[in-house]
Amino acid sequence: MRLEGRRVRTERLLIGCPVCQEPEILELFLRSLRRLELPGVQTAYCFVDDNHDPRSKALLAAFQAAVPAVTVETPPRQEAGRQYRGHNWDEHAIWKVARYKDRMIDRALREGFTHLFLVDSDVLVHPKAVRHLMDTGKAIVSQVFWTRWQADAVEQPQVWLRDFYTQFDQEPGERLTPAEERARTYAFFDMLRAPGLYEVGGLGACTMVRRDALEQGVNFRPVRNLSFWGEDRHFCVRAAARDIPLFADTVYPAFHVFRPEQLEGGRDFLRRTEQG
């Protein structure tokens, strides 16, 4: 609870996630949620069960039976369509998930939650991370994780500085060589490897949003004059247009189970973080 003048305000957190996930990955994700350390926070969960595998549906049902204040919603019939697990995304899937997230925003506002934590179902979070994100006091802040988007590529964070996924600084009108772009990109990566809180231009997939930002109208609807792919870009542009800064936190990095071969890495992450 927080003191506001003479009034005590109870922190109320809604954790939301649209789920269309392989059961082996989903099992690790739900384990990571059950370990969250949230003393004094009234916490509720909202999942949209968009799974096609009955084993994944059973995992969500078991979580709902074991954990208080869990809602598992079924997508409206008109939302039925192609799957988006395995990162096989298309425009239909992207905007379907955006609508799910916006319904979670509507619920957080309607039911008086002070914070909304939106997290993807293949992102494993540290037990202390969600409380820590709330304690940063930032209106919008993401916990950083690192991913090799292609198997032979360098690891990159899921946050960026501007545009679609630009990860280097550049002044207006400044012209950079490819070598300079690479050097600045790696400087950005080096900065994020150090534990801290950093202002960025874009983020997603593991994001805490404070109520005042929700009340200012941030959402995942497409910005009509923006062609960027991905609902998180539209969310971030809308936030910036409302003068709400975006932050990346690297104190308790998350783990992204991006491919099935990373399952053992995810299990190791859970083991290590259970030990502190």
Side-chain angles (χ1 to χ4, degrees):
M1 294 189 294
R2 302 294 179 103
L3 289 175
E4 293 184 341
R6 297 181 180 178
R7 183 165 59 90
V8 177
R9 184 185 70 167
T10 298
E11 291 177 304
R12 302 186 63 230
L13 169 67
L14 180 63
I15 297 176
C17 179
V19 183
C20 181
Q21 190 56 261
E22 303 291 345
E24 296 81 7
I25 296 175
L26 182 58
E27 189 271 333
L28 297 183
F29 170 72
L30 295 175
R31 277 176 55 190
S32 80
L33 293 186
R34 294 189 69 166
R35 307 174 319 144
L36 293 178
E37 299 174 9
L38 292 165
V41 179
Q42 292 183 6
T43 305
Y45 298 83
C46 181
F47 302 105
V48 177
D49 182 359
D50 209 12
N51 291 296
H52 300 264
D53 191 319
R55 295 173 296 170
S56 297
K57 290 180 175 294
L59 285 168
L60 280 184
F63 186 89
Q64 184 180 31
V67 176
V70 176
T71 302
V72 179
E73 299 180 0
T74 302
R77 183 176 301 176
Q78 65 268 24
E79 297 285 12
R82 291 177 289 275
Q83 302 181 32
Y84 49 90
R85 64 181 180 179
H87 304 279
N88 295 317
W89 293 89
D90 59 18
E91 288 294 312
H92 171 86
I94 286 169
W95 298 117
K96 177 171 70 168
V97 168
R99 288 188 290 274
Y100 296 162
K101 292 179 179 179
D102 280 342
R103 285 205 292 273
M104 294 170 187
I105 288 176
D106 291 342
R107 178 181 170 185
L109 287 169
R110 184 175 64 251
E111 299 185 12
F113 287 93
T114 60
H115 296 79
L116 172 65
F117 180 56
L118 294 170
V119 58
D120 286 2
S121 63
D122 56 1
V123 176
L124 312 182
V125 291
H126 189 286
K128 299 181 185 295
V130 174
R131 173 74 263 184
H132 174 75
L133 292 178
M134 296 174 72
D135 287 342
T136 65
K138 300 303 182 183
I140 302 177
V141 56
S142 278
Q143 191 64 61
V144 167
F145 57 81
W146 298 77
T147 304
R148 297 183 192 274
W149 302 113
Q150 289 81 38
D152 58 348
V154 67
E155 282 190 325
Q156 294 176 261
Q158 94 289 7
V159 300
W160 58 99
L161 291 171
R162 57 189 177 84
D163 299 331
F164 175 73
Y165 194 51
T166 299
Q167 295 177 309
F168 57 85
D169 280 318
Q170 186 174 13
E171 295 296 325
E174 185 180 20
R175 302 183 67 176
L176 301 176
T177 66
E180 289 171 329
E181 291 181 0
R182 284 193 299 273
R184 293 189 185 188
T185 298
Y186 283 108
F188 178 61
F189 293 173
D190 288 343
M191 179 184 75
L192 294 177
R193 291 290 187 185
L197 184 66
Y198 307 97
E199 188 167 355
V200 293
L203 44 73
C206 189
T207 303
M208 183 69 68
V209 188
R210 210 171 56 198
R211 183 179 182 86
D212 55 314
L214 301 178
E215 291 174 340
Q216 290 181 64
V218 295
N219 62 68
F220 291 89
R221 291 194 298 273
V223 179
R224 287 191 296 273
N225 61 346
L226 186 68
S227 63
F228 287 159
W229 181 90
E231 80 284 5
D232 285 330
R233 275 80 183 174
H234 295 252
F235 174 90
C236 293
V237 167
R238 187 171 277 109
R242 286 160 169 76
D243 203 26
I244 304 172
L246 308 171
F247 288 87
D249 189 89
T250 61
V251 173
Y252 295 108
F255 185 89
H256 191 196
V257 189
F258 188 61
R259 298 179 181 84
E261 55 265 33
Q262 293 171 305
L263 281 165
E264 187 51 43
R267 296 185 188 104
D268 180 64
F269 172 85
L270 294 179
R271 286 191 294 266
R272 287 187 290 105
T273 54
E274 281 170 357
Q275 298 168 0

